[in-house]
Amino acid sequence: MTGFDFTCTGVRADPYAAGPTLVFRLRVTADPDTRVHALALRCQIRIEPARRAYGPAEAEGLADLFGERSRWGTTLQPVQFAQVSVMVPGFTGETETDLAVPCTYDMDIAATRYFEALEDGEVPLLMLFSGTAFTGEAGFRVEPVPWDREASYRMPVAVWREMVEQHFPGCGWLRLPRATMAELLAYRSRHALASWEATVRALLDASDPAQPPPPGAVRPGALRPRLTERTAP
């Protein structure tokens, strides 16, 4: 069986992707005398939270994932981040390839909540490899990539934040059930609020009567915008 080794040499945010995407650079090494015609590679990426330290603010942000810091000895378990595939072109000896990992800013996803809680530093990742290799000098043979192939990588938190800012500049993301969205839309229409931000702010301020009306709210007797005027979505 051909021996394969994998190393992650870097990561970048893809500025041209339709959605948030990280691109990891992989170095693939095979036995020097083996011709690899192609490599159908699968990669499972896990976050290893126990392999870094956390400040007080970070620990507070991670409480919903791992509980209080006093419990971290048992709760700080690996978090699944992604599972992706890539076809590596033929090579002999060594080659490098890009591994594109689509990401989400959905705060219901554990990996996203973990990234968001970090202020700086690095994210300890473990990349687990498997797949199928097509090798051989004359013709080709099919063989599996050994299941024990893995690589560790420490991804800068700044790369994640750069990726998020490219697609959601200065914003967060919230997923709600359709029924709740329908109620919010009805509330926004009733109060003639100009944007979703103004809608949420009005609901927050409603719990504190001392707060002034939110920007965008139409007071009794005030003029409503004409139908021909554009408003924020």
Side-chain angles (χ1 to χ4, degrees):
M1 184 180 294
T2 303
F4 288 98
D5 287 305
F6 302 92
T7 305
C8 182
T9 61
V11 64
R12 69 181 189 275
D14 187 347
Y16 305 109
T21 303
L22 293 173
V23 181
F24 292 87
R25 189 67 175 172
L26 295 182
R27 179 180 297 128
V28 185
T29 305
D31 294 338
D33 56 348
T34 300
R35 171 63 178 165
V36 179
H37 298 289
L39 180 61
L41 189 64
R42 293 186 297 273
C43 180
Q44 180 183 156
I45 306 177
R46 296 178 183 171
I47 301 169
E48 302 274 281
R51 292 171 49 204
R52 63 157 283 167
Y54 302 93
E58 293 174 328
E60 183 177 350
L62 293 170
D64 64 328
L65 286 178
F66 306 119
E68 298 298 325
R69 192 190 285 267
S70 60
R71 300 175 52 209
W72 283 10
T74 56
T75 63
L76 216 60
Q77 299 299 318
V79 176
Q80 179 75 7
F81 174 31
Q83 188 160 332
V84 292
S85 301
V86 63
M87 182 63 72
V88 182
F91 67 96
T92 299
E94 183 179 284
T95 189
E96 291 195 358
T97 190
D98 285 337
L99 181 69
V101 179
C103 302
T104 177
Y105 197 33
D106 186 346
M107 294 303 291
D108 287 340
I109 305 299
T112 305
R113 296 207 308 275
Y114 177 85
F115 290 134
E116 188 63 19
L118 303 184
E119 296 183 331
D120 53 24
E122 298 171 329
V123 179
L125 300 176
L126 181 63
M127 312 178 80
L128 306 171
F129 298 97
S130 61
T132 304
F134 302 89
T135 63
E137 292 296 336
F140 69 91
R141 64 178 184 271
V142 179
E143 54 183 298
V145 175
W147 280 85
D148 62 348
R149 302 294 88 183
E150 61 183 45
S152 296
Y153 183 69
R154 302 186 73 86
M155 181 182 76
V157 174
V159 175
W160 169 268
R161 298 201 177 279
E162 176 189 352
M163 178 197 68
V164 171
E165 281 297 308
Q166 287 174 356
H167 294 272
F168 306 102
C171 298
W173 193 94
L174 184 64
R175 182 177 65 178
L176 296 171
R178 287 192 181 92
T180 305
M181 281 299 301
E183 292 183 58
L184 281 174
L185 181 58
Y187 180 89
R188 175 178 173 176
S189 298
R190 286 196 307 271
H191 294 271
L193 296 167
S195 66
W196 286 115
E197 179 184 1
T199 303
V200 174
R201 174 53 55 191
L203 290 168
L204 292 174
D205 291 343
S207 62
D208 185 1
Q211 293 293 329
V218 177
R219 298 173 177 81
L223 292 176
R224 296 177 181 270
R226 298 195 308 271
L227 294 179
T228 56
E229 293 180 347
R230 293 188 62 182
T231 57

